[in-house]
Amino acid sequence: MKKYDVVVIGGGHAGCEASSAAARMGCKTVLITMKTDSIGQLSCNPAVGGIGKSHLAREIDALDGLISVVADKSALQRRTLNSRKGQAVQATRIQTCRDHYKLNMQKALQGIKNLDIYQATISSIISKNNIATGVITEAGDKIFGKSIILTVGTFLGGKIHIGLKSFSAGRAGDKPSIELESFFKDYSFKIGRLKTGTPPRIKTASIDFEKLEKQNSDPHMPKLSYLYDHYGVTYNEIKQVPCHITYTNESTHDLIRTKKDESPLFNGNIVSKGPRYCPSIEDKVYRFSEKKQHQIFLEPETINNYETYPNGISTSLSEKDQMKFLKTIDGLGSAIITQPGYAIEYSYFDPRGLYSSLETKKLENLFFAGQINGTTGYEEAAAQGLLAGINASLKIKDKEPWIPTRKESYIGVLIDDLVTQGVVEPYRMFTSRAEHRLRLREDNADTRLTEIGYKLGVVTKDRWKLFITKVDKIKKETRRLETIDIDVNSKTSKLLHERFGLKLKNKSNLKNLLKMSDITYEDISKLQCFGITANSDIGHIVANNIRYEGYLKRQDDEAQFFSNAQEQRIPPDFNYDRIKGLTNEALEKLKEVLPGNLGQASRIPGITPATITLLKIALKR
Amino acid sequence: MKSSDTIAAISTAYGFSGIGVVRVSGKNVSKLIKKFFGKTLKPRHAYLKKIYYQKKILDEVVVIYFKKPKSYTGEDMCEIHAHGNPVILETITDLITSNYARHAKPGEFTERAFLNNKIDLLQAESVSDLIASSNISAAQSAATSLQGEFSKHIKILENMLLDLRSKIESSINFPEDEIPEIDKRTFKDMITNLEKNFKDILSIATTGEVLNQKIKYVVVGRPNVGKSSLINSILNTESSIVSAHAGTTRDSIRYDVKIDNFIISITDTAGLRSTRNLIEKEGIERTKKSLSEANRVLYVVDAKVGFTKSDEKLIKKFEIKNYDVVFNKIDLLKEKARIQKTKHYSAVFLSAKNKIGLKFLKKIMSEHYKSNNSLESTVIARKRHIENIKAGLEQLYIAKKHLDNYHLEFFAEEIRIIHKLVSSIIGDDSITEKMLDKIFSDFCIGK
Ligand SMILES: Cc1cc2nc3c(=O)[nH]c(=O)nc-3n(C[C@H](O)[C@H](O)[C@H](O)COP(=O)(O)OP(=O)(O)OC[C@H]3O[C@@H](n4cnc5c(N)ncnc54)[C@H](O)[C@@H]3O)c2cc1C
Ligand SMILES: Nc1nc2c(ncn2[C@@H]2O[C@H](COP(=O)(O)OP(=O)(O)OP(=O)(O)O)[C@@H](O)[C@H]2O)c(=O)[nH]1
Ligand SMILES: [Mg+2]
């Protein structure tokens, strides 16, 4: 009989982070997955990061997670998005080599102490008195664990649609998990259906890139992991491969229009909801008929560049029709499909059935993470995996769970949205979801989280040391800037006036200069009085900290204006029935969601400020 | 945004009474006392002081200062005892909240008292019943005050904000999609429009409408029962035409009347009947319209004839609600003036012509006034709304500055806060969802 501290089911993005985090926290952990070779497989497009998503990836990295390091080591093309729109909304996007990514992920996992990897398909959970104690494989083997983390992605009741054909599958080439789903149905977990889709893959050699716009890496080669930018660790960059851009046109659209009846998305075969921000090409053509063209990014799948991923035309038309419409597109006239696109319907659990720790309310010691909670995307899955790994370990050690807040991280926003609002479509992170967006930047995820992670035990000593070194440098540079004064009548002062229209009223140091004006760190570094400094990366962080400081204070004021005592905890066993004066509606909602703190309670749709006041009073008991 | 931790509210029951009290609690109290009354006051002593509004004396009040922790809430507090006139009390609260405090939420004084250990749980819970009930009326008031012009404006404002935000946020969140790049000019125009709308709302909301909430009465009944006479004797003048011919009053005529301590509006109408006369028909249409705007109806009958089946029919036909019945002309019957309450209405027996029994009618009216809760909460809800609109306008000025420097993320942040301020007036906080809905329906997003 096999016994572990933590048992993780599923080797996707959630599973990889969950199992590695638990192992880092010293728990004896096993990662059980259907096929060990497909651990770390990118089921959809081979890119990591992007707006909102790279913010999550940075946070995972700050907690010593794997996704950013693995993506950096597998990068084919690197870009910074929104570079002119402000530091807080700027993001990094990395096009990876699918093969390298998988391999690097597997290597990373193999290098972790306390972590076993095991190939099996799990068909059921062992439980007693509503406490989960282990899992059963298809072959009937039992594996026991003090905590169980389920991360089976799109596999629960997965059903693929290609044209008028449909069949059960977890994703292309994988079996679905049917038995496992029926276990949860029997246990009356709230299960819903969602759908997503993927485009056909094209043989790269069959594409004519000649006339297409080419997109190379940005010259400054942005990184996702702190190790490789702020901490100065080095690694071997693999060969860069560019992306290309092409467009659909009216003939493409005409063709797709005639096939409306054969698209399972529109002929009624698929009823589940898909993400609005990731529409299929059918959706785009039918819903935005006034648009004459739609953009397609042609992304390399691997370093050998055998296959290309045409990003922007996910489809569920028949393979024949996919072929037809591809041929109408510039550069794809003689395209050869290597794998058809498809839509997939799958089951997910209503995330309102979870505590903020990601433990299920129905079965103690069972945690859910990743796409099964109604999210979509690698980073979203990885973030939940990491959190579930941390909390499953804390649970074993009899410690309070770690609940990241909305103010502290995108992970906090993600979890809070999921458990209080539930989902109506696959949930993806957008920076608009974060009311503390100006605080939650790519450049400061480590200052926000690494110390917390170190105390929790999920951040290793090595990383901690690197982080501390950076913090020291920041402090030093900040102090240095404070000591460099500019006199009102000095030459520098005149220069500032000429160049930036800045009129100094009093003697001012360089730090204040950054605070009160639009002048950048780069600008001041050109002043004569500036002197020599260590590292311009650090300088930018220092400047950002100074710039945003005043703003963050205003955000705090705002939070106060709208409500207070957000963070006050509500114990999970809190008895709402004892609060006098609650309306039935409020009572019902509070009992369903079981909010973790007052802030969460106030965000439940339909909960009024008066209810919060009553709750606050009752909590002081 | 102003400091959020000093709160103020009228803490006596709404309506006219001998004395009304405005309470203030929080750290700005001593500053406020100095500003209003020119010097610091000794704690727990009553001072007779004058309060000024636009350089004129508003009221003579008694002020008491409580120094923390020896106060109800445990914070610095001040009580202003003024004359129990809603207009005066609202104005005083206005003066305070425009600079030194914000409006207290329901139960907030008690909440503070409890959190500062000034009262125990039992006391707090008995107050919590009160909060729960004011919760319902607050919800109602939000609904009532959101009918009509004001709400139309707020909704327009929210749509403008949604439009602006969906443009900003889509450009921030989906830079790789082909969303038309928005130039500074477009944003500037949108901001200018917003500013104009904010200002319009402020002027609508502050010009009297808020303070001049009064109960609207409409007097109806069959022709010649003495409706105009009744109003005349209430008005104590002979300004309305009084005649002995059926169907004299053809227009609805509105009067504002001060009764004892409060103000009502009262509308005279044409007698109710089915008529072929075109002009009278028009009068009846007007009566219908007046009825639809009424808070209360006085249904007048001739006491000699009594309240008959055909009166019942008329009440049904004209969908008259919230009515009392006036039995007029009791002089002809030698009946005594009195009030008689029935299940559906109060019956007042009087003589308009001889001015007998008018005091009974006034008594009923003042009961209406006191029990009109929705009036109270409407006013209070409006105040909170105005506060949000003012804060929103302030933010807008800051937003403009960020736009000038093209700091998109800061600009976006200000607009988000404004959106939140406006949509919390409607009581709907799901601004992110609304904004995402707008983005996905307006733009073709996604690869
Ligand atoms: C067709 C398709 C299109 C997508 N399109 C997009 C997109 O456009 N944009 C986007 O952001 N995201 C997209 N995604 C989503 C993204 O791939 C997922 O969100 C992410 O991979 C989820 O990670 P996960 O760890 O939760 O699950 P997965 O990566 O799906 O991993 C699940 C793992 O569990 C294992 N497993 C399943 N059942 C069992 C079992 N019973 N026993 C043992 N192991 C089991 C599987 O083998 C697999 O390793 C798409 C996914 C698919 C399938
Ligand atoms: N005896 C007596 N006569 C009254 C009384 N009130 C009104 N009248 C008389 O009734 C007649 C009609 O009075 P109005 O006040 O014009 O009646 P009205 O309901 O306004 O009539 P229309 O506007 O035509 O519908 C007049 O002759 C009044 O003098 C009353 O209390 N006692
Ligand atoms: Mg008349």
Side-chain angles (χ1 to χ4, degrees):
Chain A
M1 193 169 73
K2 290 186 191 120
K3 263 187 161 167
Y4 285 91
D5 291 332
V6 178
V7 174
V8 179
I9 311 160
H13 306 271
C16 291
E17 296 294 349
S19 56
S20 58
R24 282 202 301 284
M25 287 180 71
C27 294
K28 201 164 164 276
T29 306
V30 63
L31 172 62
I32 306 171
T33 191
M34 273 182 185
K35 283 195 268 176
T36 48
D37 315 347
S38 63
I39 287 178
Q41 175 157 323
L42 300 161
S43 8
C44 199
N45 86 322
V48 178
I51 315 263
K53 288 166 165 280
S54 74
H55 291 80
L56 281 171
R58 288 293 259 193
E59 290 176 2
I60 296 166
D61 185 63
L63 292 165
D64 229 349
L66 307 176
I67 190 168
S68 298
V69 172
V70 171
D72 272 336
K73 285 185 175 164
S74 321
L76 295 177
Q77 188 230 34
R78 302 169 178 278
R79 303 217 305 128
T80 298
L81 309 176
N82 275 350
S83 51
R84 285 194 334 245
K85 290 175 187 157
Q87 292 289 329
V89 295
Q90 178 172 306
T92 308
R93 185 176 186 280
I94 290 189
Q95 198 64 47
T96 67
C97 162
R98 188 186 290 289
D99 295 344
H100 273 78
Y101 189 96
K102 204 157 98 173
L103 228 67
N104 282 327
M105 181 58 85
Q106 292 178 8
K107 250 198 252 167
L109 290 173
Q110 283 155 12
I112 294 177
K113 230 174 50 184
N114 299 325
L115 179 59
D116 287 351
I117 294 172
Y118 186 70
Q119 177 163 310
T121 298
I122 300 305
S123 58
S124 185
I125 308 284
I126 308 168
S127 71
K128 213 170 134 189
N129 303 330
N130 296 331
I131 299 177
T133 57
V135 297
I136 305 177
T137 68
E138 257 177 359
D141 291 334
K142 289 183 180 169
I143 300 160
F144 291 92
K146 294 176 189 159
S147 293
I148 316 288
I149 305 175
L150 189 75
T151 69
V152 291
T154 47
F155 287 63
L156 283 184
K159 188 174 180 193
I160 285 184
H161 297 260
I162 305 179
L164 298 175
K165 280 185 297 189
S166 71
F167 52 92
S168 292
R171 64 186 165 206
D174 281 315
K175 292 180 304 175
S177 289
I178 301 290
E179 272 180 83
L180 195 56
E181 188 188 14
S182 40
F183 167 83
F184 288 107
K185 278 191 178 150
D186 293 346
Y187 234 99
S188 64
F189 274 78
K190 257 198 186 165
I191 297 179
R193 299 283 281 174
L194 290 170
K195 75 129 217 261
T196 185
T198 194
R201 310 301 146 88
I202 303 170
K203 186 172 169 185
T204 307
S206 72
I207 301 176
D208 179 10
F209 290 106
E210 195 66 22
K211 277 178 271 161
L212 303 183
E213 184 186 331
K214 185 161 146 188
Q215 197 181 50
N216 285 316
S217 289
D218 285 342
H220 63 287
M221 296 288 278
K223 313 284 190 295
L224 265 183
S225 171
Y226 285 104
L227 293 183
Y228 308 133
D229 51 17
H230 296 181
Y231 302 168
V233 177
T234 53
Y235 65 99
N236 290 329
E237 189 81 44
I238 60 174
K239 189 183 79 183
Q240 301 294 293
V241 183
C243 294
H244 289 82
I245 296 172
T246 183
Y247 297 88
T248 61
N249 53 49
E250 287 288 15
S251 2
T252 324
H253 300 178
D254 286 344
L255 225 150
I256 291 171
R257 271 188 208 111
T258 60
K259 297 293 175 186
K260 197 163 180 175
D261 291 341
E262 285 156 59
S263 165
L265 297 171
F266 287 90
N267 69 5
N269 283 2
I270 297 181
V271 285
S272 355
K273 216 161 168 203
R276 286 172 298 177
Y277 36 83
C278 210
S280 62
I281 186 66
E282 292 97 293
D283 258 314
K284 292 182 185 179
V285 170
Y286 302 146
R287 286 189 38 227
F288 295 90
S289 54
E290 73 285 357
K291 277 198 85 172
K292 301 256 175 299
Q293 58 171 39
H294 295 279
Q295 185 174 246
I296 304 169
F297 288 87
L298 297 173
E299 305 173 347
E301 283 260 321
T302 62
I303 194 158
N304 308 324
N305 206 357
Y306 172 69
E307 276 178 308
T308 287
Y309 182 102
N311 200 345
I313 46 171
S314 112
T315 178
S316 63
L317 290 172
S318 72
E319 187 169 354
K320 212 174 76 207
D321 293 331
Q322 295 183 22
M323 196 66 249
K324 274 195 205 150
F325 84 68
L326 278 185
K327 300 230 189 243
T328 63
I329 298 169
D330 272 357
L332 304 183
S334 19
I336 295 172
I337 290 182
T338 53
Q339 289 177 54
Y342 62 88
I344 180 166
E345 285 187 289
Y346 57 93
S347 298
Y348 76 100
F349 297 105
D350 182 344
R352 285 172 297 188
L354 301 170
Y355 295 112
S356 302
S357 62
L358 295 183
E359 189 176 15
T360 65
K361 289 174 185 167
K362 286 216 167 192
L363 273 179
E364 198 176 339
N365 293 344
L366 177 66
F367 294 74
F368 285 169
Q371 189 124 357
I372 54 170
N373 290 336
T375 63
T376 174
Y378 309 140
E379 303 79 359
E380 287 83 351
Q384 293 169 66
L386 178 78
L387 188 72
I390 291 173
N391 284 329
S393 309
L394 290 172
K395 179 100 199 224
I396 291 170
K397 297 175 184 175
D398 232 358
K399 288 191 184 149
E400 288 286 305
W402 178 52
I403 317 269
T405 65
R406 299 182 78 90
K407 189 171 162 179
E408 176 172 84
S409 61
Y410 275 92
I411 306 180
V413 173
L414 170 73
I415 301 301
D416 189 65
D417 279 349
L418 289 179
V419 305
T420 60
Q421 320 274 321
V423 299
V424 285
E425 69 184 322
Y427 180 103
R428 175 208 196 275
M429 185 49 72
F430 301 114
T431 65
S432 320
R433 298 194 194 272
E435 42 290 89
H436 296 279
R437 177 160 74 187
L438 296 176
R439 186 189 302 269
L440 307 182
R441 304 189 305 272
E442 265 196 334
D443 71 313
N444 68 3
D446 58 346
T447 32
R448 286 183 275 123
L449 296 172
T450 300
E451 185 171 353
I452 296 175
Y454 185 60
K455 286 185 180 147
L456 289 169
V458 74
V459 168
T460 55
K461 221 180 196 120
D462 288 347
R463 177 177 285 257
W464 175 247
K465 278 190 209 143
L466 291 166
F467 168 69
I468 288 295
T469 315
K470 169 184 161 187
V471 172
D472 271 353
K473 282 188 196 155
I474 292 176
K475 275 193 195 141
K476 270 198 198 120
E477 181 64 4
T478 313
R479 239 178 280 137
R480 198 182 74 87
L481 295 180
E482 272 168 348
T483 58
I484 304 176
D485 285 325
I486 301 168
D487 280 321
V488 181
N489 296 318
S490 65
K491 247 206 233 151
T492 313
S493 172
K494 250 185 240 149
L495 194 81
L496 287 173
H497 185 56
E498 276 163 27
R499 233 185 259 162
F500 306 104
L502 190 78
K503 232 180 177 162
L504 289 186
K505 288 198 195 90
N506 300 305
K507 185 160 112 175
S508 171
N509 64 43
L510 287 183
K511 182 180 167 194
N512 286 334
L513 215 57
L514 286 171
K515 195 185 290 180
M516 63 192 197
S517 64
D518 248 358
I519 297 178
T520 65
Y521 185 82
E522 217 157 14
D523 295 331
I524 65 163
S525 71
K526 287 179 195 141
L527 299 176
Q528 220 169 32
C529 59
F530 182 77
I532 312 157
T533 181
N535 171 330
S536 78
D537 261 351
I538 296 293
H540 283 296
I541 300 166
V542 170
N544 277 346
N545 289 345
I546 297 169
R547 281 288 295 284
Y548 286 86
E549 205 173 348
Y551 232 90
L552 300 188
K553 219 199 133 282
R554 271 175 51 80
Q555 282 204 322
D556 290 344
D557 288 352
E558 181 221 338
Q560 252 204 356
F561 183 88
F562 286 108
S563 77
N564 38 37
Q566 294 265 335
E567 259 116 72
Q568 183 166 351
R569 265 202 64 196
I570 307 173
D573 54 356
F574 184 74
N575 185 355
Y576 292 95
D577 292 309
R578 282 169 63 181
I579 305 177
K580 268 171 79 178
L582 279 187
T583 61
N584 283 336
E585 190 200 353
L587 187 64
E588 220 166 82
K589 283 186 169 154
L590 289 168
K591 278 171 145 179
E592 183 184 347
V593 174
L594 298 180
N597 58 39
L598 277 182
Q600 276 191 356
S602 69
R603 284 185 293 276
I604 300 171
I607 294 293
T608 62
T611 304
I612 297 302
T613 305
L614 295 178
L615 196 54
K616 210 191 285 178
I617 289 176
L619 276 172
K620 224 202 149 196
R621 229 174 239 268
Chain B
M1 211 157 285
K2 73 188 79 120
S3 157
S4 63
D5 53 10
T6 303
I7 53 173
I10 300 173
S11 60
T12 40
Y14 197 78
F16 282 85
S17 50
I19 292 175
V21 179
V22 175
R23 280 203 285 194
V24 192
S25 175
K27 65 175 179 202
N28 281 345
V29 162
S30 51
K31 229 197 275 174
L32 173 141
I33 288 177
K34 234 181 169 161
K35 187 80 194 168
F36 274 46
F37 309 113
K39 59 171 199 165
T40 48
L41 306 181
K42 224 163 118 187
R44 306 184 151 266
H45 281 247
Y47 292 83
L48 191 62
K49 291 280 173 192
K50 292 188 180 78
I51 283 197
Y52 293 86
Y53 177 63
Q54 295 182 339
K55 303 224 170 88
K56 281 191 214 130
I57 294 180
L58 177 67
D59 197 11
E60 236 180 343
V61 298
V62 172
V63 192
I64 308 171
Y65 168 55
F66 299 88
K67 200 172 159 57
K68 75 172 181 192
K70 286 189 172 175
S71 73
Y72 176 65
T73 58
E75 304 173 327
D76 275 353
M77 275 189 79
C78 135
E79 284 185 5
I80 300 173
H81 299 241
H83 287 101
N85 173 325
V87 178
I88 292 177
L89 295 172
E90 293 290 351
T91 313
I92 293 177
T93 320
D94 256 1
L95 288 171
I96 295 170
T97 53
S98 64
N99 275 313
Y100 299 96
R102 63 170 168 82
H103 285 277
K105 288 180 251 174
E108 208 173 359
F109 283 97
T110 306
E111 183 191 325
R112 289 186 179 201
F114 177 72
L115 295 177
N116 290 327
N117 293 316
K118 299 296 288 188
I119 55 172
D120 65 18
L121 190 68
L122 220 64
Q123 283 169 297
E125 281 193 337
S126 64
V127 178
S128 78
D129 288 339
L130 233 157
I131 300 172
S133 62
S134 71
N135 179 11
I136 296 162
S137 74
Q140 281 169 345
S141 78
T144 33
S145 77
L146 277 172
Q147 284 158 4
E149 281 304 283
F150 188 68
S151 83
K152 241 191 276 161
H153 279 83
I154 296 292
K155 284 189 188 130
I156 291 173
L157 197 58
E158 205 204 1
N159 283 334
M160 292 172 75
L161 282 162
L162 270 173
D163 195 27
L164 174 58
R165 280 197 75 212
S166 71
K167 291 200 164 80
I168 306 170
E169 294 295 328
S170 58
S171 110
I172 285 179
N173 282 281
F174 308 102
E176 290 184 294
D177 288 277
E178 306 153 282
I179 298 162
E181 248 336 292
I182 302 112
D183 53 34
K184 222 158 126 176
R185 187 74 252 148
T186 314
F187 279 146
K188 266 215 162 123
D189 290 347
M190 293 177 92
I191 291 290
T192 312
N193 268 335
L194 268 171
E195 192 180 329
K196 189 181 162 299
N197 276 267
F198 265 104
K199 286 184 175 157
D200 284 353
I201 291 182
L202 272 183
S203 68
I204 296 173
T206 39
T207 46
E209 204 185 308
V210 169
L211 295 181
N212 292 328
Q213 298 280 354
K214 46 196 155 200
I215 299 191
K216 295 188 191 110
Y217 284 91
V218 175
V219 179
V220 296
R222 282 189 280 157
N224 241 15
V225 292
K227 300 180 291 294
S228 303
S229 308
L230 180 67
I231 290 179
N232 275 344
S233 56
I234 291 172
L235 291 173
N236 252 331
T237 65
E238 293 289 321
S239 64
S240 183
I241 310 155
V242 183
S243 81
H245 304 287
T248 320
T249 310
R250 287 187 188 131
D251 283 342
S252 295
I253 309 167
R254 207 188 96 179
Y255 306 90
D256 284 355
V257 193
K258 188 164 169 288
I259 293 184
D260 294 340
N261 259 324
F262 53 93
I263 298 167
I264 60 159
S265 92
I266 189 161
T267 304
D268 192 5
T269 63
L272 298 175
R273 66 170 164 196
S274 30
T275 174
R276 285 199 190 144
N277 184 323
L278 213 65
I279 302 177
E280 290 198 349
K281 237 186 194 158
E282 233 171 75
I284 285 175
E285 281 311 307
R286 284 211 194 86
T287 305
K288 277 190 184 161
K289 186 163 178 288
S290 305
L291 277 169
S292 73
E293 288 164 0
N295 300 109
R296 304 267 348 167
V297 175
L298 297 177
Y299 190 86
V300 184
V301 298
D302 189 326
K304 256 187 340 210
V305 183
F307 189 74
T308 63
K309 276 256 152 57
S310 66
D311 288 310
E312 265 172 41
K313 266 191 204 150
L314 282 171
I315 284 179
K316 248 207 191 114
K317 183 174 166 212
F318 284 89
E319 294 174 13
I320 298 173
K321 285 175 215 94
N322 294 328
Y323 63 93
D324 292 302
V325 180
V326 175
F327 288 79
N328 187 28
K329 310 190 187 178
I330 56 168
D331 52 310
L332 300 177
L333 291 177
K334 310 251 160 9
E335 284 236 23
K336 258 179 94 175
R338 64 179 191 278
I339 299 177
Q340 199 174 309
K341 302 217 166 170
T342 74
K343 213 157 119 207
H344 299 292
Y345 55 81
S346 302
V348 185
F349 291 79
L350 52 73
S351 163
K353 196 164 137 193
N354 300 354
K355 300 204 171 82
I356 299 166
L358 286 176
K359 67 170 183 208
F360 293 112
L361 185 60
K362 287 178 183 170
K363 192 171 164 224
I364 294 252
M365 288 178 152
S366 90
E367 276 169 19
H368 293 160
Y369 199 85
K370 280 180 189 141
S371 70
N372 197 334
N373 278 325
S374 74
L375 200 63
E376 164 193 14
S377 29
T378 307
V379 175
I380 291 172
R382 286 271 175 102
K383 299 254 153 167
R384 186 175 62 76
H385 300 164
I386 293 169
E387 202 161 275
N388 282 17
I389 295 288
K390 279 186 184 153
L393 186 59
E394 253 171 64
Q395 303 283 123
L396 201 61
Y397 294 131
I398 306 176
K400 235 168 150 176
K401 256 193 349 224
H402 289 309
L403 183 60
D404 285 337
N405 298 323
Y406 213 70
H407 290 156
L408 196 61
E409 55 179 359
F410 294 129
F411 177 57
E413 172 65 10
E414 298 300 342
I415 304 296
R416 180 184 70 81
I417 294 177
I418 297 172
H419 187 192
K420 197 164 168 188
L421 285 165
V422 169
S423 79
S424 78
I425 293 177
I426 308 173
D428 180 357
D429 269 350
S430 57
I431 59 169
T432 309
E433 279 317 305
K434 280 195 264 182
M435 194 267 301
L436 290 175
D437 284 349
K438 175 118 181 104
I439 291 183
F440 297 131
S441 64
D442 285 4
F443 307 111
C444 182
I445 298 278
K447 304 194 285 188

